[in-house]
Amino acid sequence: MPKVATTPTFLQRLAIVEEQLAALRRAGRERDEVPFYATSLHGLVYEDGGSFTTLWEAIITPRTATLSLGLVLIGDTVGTTNTGGGWQVLLDDTVAASGSVPATATYVFPALDLDLTPYRAAPQLKVRFQTRRTSGATTGGRYGGGGSIGGSPRYARLL
């Protein structure tokens, strides 16, 4: 017996759409991990002064509206003197976020959601993570320059 193709009814089409929506909800949002690359041999900032030193950087294509970035930073202790400083994240050459590293030799874990909307038309975007030492020991330490500020990205995702 020949089969006849029928057009699905509105309720049948609605059931198909609901099934597809449920499958998307189960799968969750897709996220792109962003790799960062070290730009320093030591991975720590030993220099004194007002200038920032780039520790990590990445070049991305801003396909989404948000870069979710998690950082970890720690100061140093030389003798009995703790070292503190500051950090900043740059999008191209614009400071997108900044903060401080307390001179207490304890970890800080900044979490950021950076808006990439102004850069969506750009073919590439340079993201840099910088730190600087502003207080603490000025002599001693591993390389003789005093304490250091250590920092690293914990995660970086395009959302």
Side-chain angles (χ1 to χ4, degrees):
M1 196 176 256
K3 294 187 177 187
V4 178
T6 60
T7 304
T9 66
F10 172 76
L11 291 176
Q12 290 171 328
R13 288 186 294 152
L14 181 60
I16 292 169
V17 168
E18 286 179 341
E19 181 182 357
Q20 291 172 344
L21 179 61
L24 285 173
R25 285 184 178 154
R26 284 190 301 273
R29 290 190 305 192
E30 187 174 318
R31 298 179 176 193
D32 289 333
E33 293 286 334
V34 176
F36 271 78
Y37 300 97
T39 59
S40 170
L41 293 176
H42 306 301
L44 302 168
V45 174
Y46 291 93
E47 296 82 12
D48 279 326
S51 63
F52 282 91
T53 302
T54 301
L55 292 181
W56 298 87
E57 69 182 10
I59 297 178
I60 63 172
T61 301
R63 298 184 311 259
T64 62
T66 305
L67 173 63
S68 179
L69 184 61
L71 307 172
V72 59
L73 296 122
I74 188 169
D76 192 6
T77 302
V78 176
T80 58
T81 305
N82 292 328
T83 301
W87 62 269
Q88 66 183 12
V89 175
L90 282 81
L91 298 177
D92 280 339
D93 291 324
T94 305
V95 176
S98 63
S100 63
V101 180
T104 57
T106 58
Y107 290 99
V108 291
F109 299 97
L112 318 166
D113 285 328
L114 303 175
D115 182 23
L116 300 181
T117 306
Y119 306 97
R120 292 285 299 270
Q124 63 188 19
L125 174 65
K126 187 174 189 177
V127 182
R128 290 185 287 167
F129 170 46
Q130 299 180 332
T131 60
R132 71 175 171 184
R133 186 177 78 174
T134 57
S135 66
T138 56
T139 60
R142 183 168 181 180
Y143 295 101
S148 62
I149 299 293
S152 175
R154 291 183 296 135
Y155 61 86
R157 297 182 191 104
L158 290 171
L159 301 179

